[in-house]
Amino acid sequence: MELLQYDFIQRALIAGVAISFITPIIGLLLILRRQSLLADTLSHISLAGVALGMFLQVDPTLSTLLFVVGASIIIEYLRTIYNTFSEISVAIMMSAGMAIALVLVSLNSNSGNFQIDQYLFGSILLISPSEVKILVGLSITIVIFYLIFRRTLYVMSYDEATAYTSGLPVRLISIIFSVFTGVSISIMMPIVGALLVSALVVIPSATAIKISDSFGKSIVIGIIINLIGIFAGIFASYEYDTPPGASITLSFIVIFVIVSLATYFVTLRKRKQNNPS
């Protein structure tokens, strides 16, 4: 295909493969832990990290990483305090992140040079070679983390109290997972945008859950859905000159609708077979 001859398309596809191994693991665990909105919260907090970098005139990527890692640890701490109402920590940090971002932007004398659109909407087609390397390294790290702590993550996702009483390092693994989630969001934000990064994390995993019957299968199916959705979105963006992040998100939504309809009709057919009268 002609578009594969372009370096920026090749980088985007490699980045898409790397993302496809990151988001199913993070997304599935967030859904099972009832923290689906955490991805959206961390994307808002990432904007505060970018604004802080602009305000201090340092590398926004570095300031965002440090800011999000700190915020992830705080969220995990608040979650343990409000263990019955874990969504409170998400609501508090989301509000704080947006407030800090807006205040720092208003105080920044260079706010005229602050390209907020780049971080709100992003573009995987503009990814740099260094960002591709970071994504690949992050995906390898997260996959290794998942393979090592798969049993602990599985038990924690369904019953954290049982995991704790079994002697598993629940608090440590939870903090590490939150940090990995924050780092992933902050790195993916300039690629797909703060407004859409949560869709990239949640929708494929939510789709995979509908057609899988085990923890491991959900991740494998999630990877496949990610690859299909990201590649379809990139090709659609190139072909029709649409925003890459929005095209990828719409691809995921189309897949979700198709899978939902298919599972509905399959379930309906089984019911009719079991109850012919």
Side-chain angles (χ1 to χ4, degrees):
M1 298 177 66
E2 179 185 352
L3 76 165
L4 295 178
Q5 299 175 1
Y6 299 106
D7 290 341
F8 69 93
I9 293 292
Q10 295 174 9
R11 290 195 297 270
L13 293 177
I14 294 173
V17 172
I19 291 172
S20 297
F21 282 90
I22 295 173
T23 55
I25 297 174
I26 292 176
L28 178 62
L29 292 171
L30 287 177
I31 291 173
L32 294 178
R33 287 158 63 98
R34 291 176 173 81
Q35 289 183 301
S36 299
L37 289 177
L38 181 60
D40 196 36
T41 298
L42 291 174
S43 67
H44 286 73
I45 293 173
S46 294
L47 287 176
V50 172
L52 178 63
M54 295 294 182
F55 180 75
L56 299 177
Q57 296 184 357
V58 298
D59 184 1
T61 302
L62 178 60
S63 63
T64 301
L65 282 173
L66 295 175
F67 201 89
V68 170
V69 167
S72 301
I73 295 174
I74 294 174
I75 289 175
E76 184 61 27
Y77 171 72
L78 291 174
R79 194 177 70 86
T80 59
I81 295 178
Y82 300 101
N83 55 356
T84 308
F85 309 100
S86 58
E87 70 276 5
I88 292 178
S89 62
V90 172
I92 292 173
M93 294 304 294
M94 180 183 291
S95 303
M98 282 304 298
I100 292 172
L102 292 173
V103 169
L104 288 175
V105 168
S106 67
L107 294 176
N108 186 9
S109 58
N110 297 318
S111 58
N113 300 323
F114 181 60
Q115 300 296 326
I116 191 67
D117 289 353
Q118 175 186 350
Y119 296 95
L120 284 176
F121 304 105
S123 176
I124 195 171
L125 299 180
L126 300 179
I127 188 171
S128 66
S130 60
E131 289 174 326
V132 172
K133 293 178 181 177
I134 293 173
L135 266 177
V136 171
L138 179 64
S139 66
I140 293 173
T141 303
I142 289 179
V143 169
I144 292 174
F145 171 75
Y146 165 71
L147 292 175
I148 294 175
F149 298 104
R150 179 172 53 186
R151 177 175 173 271
T152 303
L153 291 169
Y154 175 80
V155 176
M156 282 173 50
S157 300
Y158 287 99
D159 192 343
E160 193 167 305
T162 300
Y164 184 78
T165 55
S166 300
L168 297 174
V170 174
R171 297 287 169 80
L172 177 61
I173 300 301
S174 291
I175 292 174
I176 294 175
F177 172 71
S178 295
V179 169
F180 273 143
T181 302
V183 171
S184 301
I185 295 297
S186 62
I187 291 176
M188 290 189 295
M189 186 182 67
I191 299 171
V192 295
L195 298 179
L196 298 174
V197 68
S198 61
L200 191 67
V201 173
V202 174
I203 296 177
S205 296
T207 307
I209 289 175
K210 297 181 72 67
I211 53 177
S212 61
D213 55 4
S214 69
F215 190 79
K217 286 182 182 179
S218 296
I219 291 179
V220 173
I221 294 173
I223 292 173
I224 296 172
I225 292 173
N226 267 273
L227 290 171
I228 295 173
I230 291 175
F231 284 13
I234 291 174
F235 291 142
S237 175
Y238 176 84
E239 188 70 25
Y240 301 105
D241 194 25
T242 55
S247 300
I248 291 171
T249 302
L250 286 176
S251 297
F252 286 145
I253 292 174
V254 169
I255 295 173
F256 177 80
V257 171
I258 292 173
V259 169
S260 298
L261 290 174
T263 53
Y264 171 76
F265 286 118
V266 168
T267 303
L268 189 63
R269 183 178 179 182
K270 288 181 178 179
R271 287 178 180 175
K272 289 182 177 180
Q273 289 176 346
N274 295 331
N275 301 286
S277 58

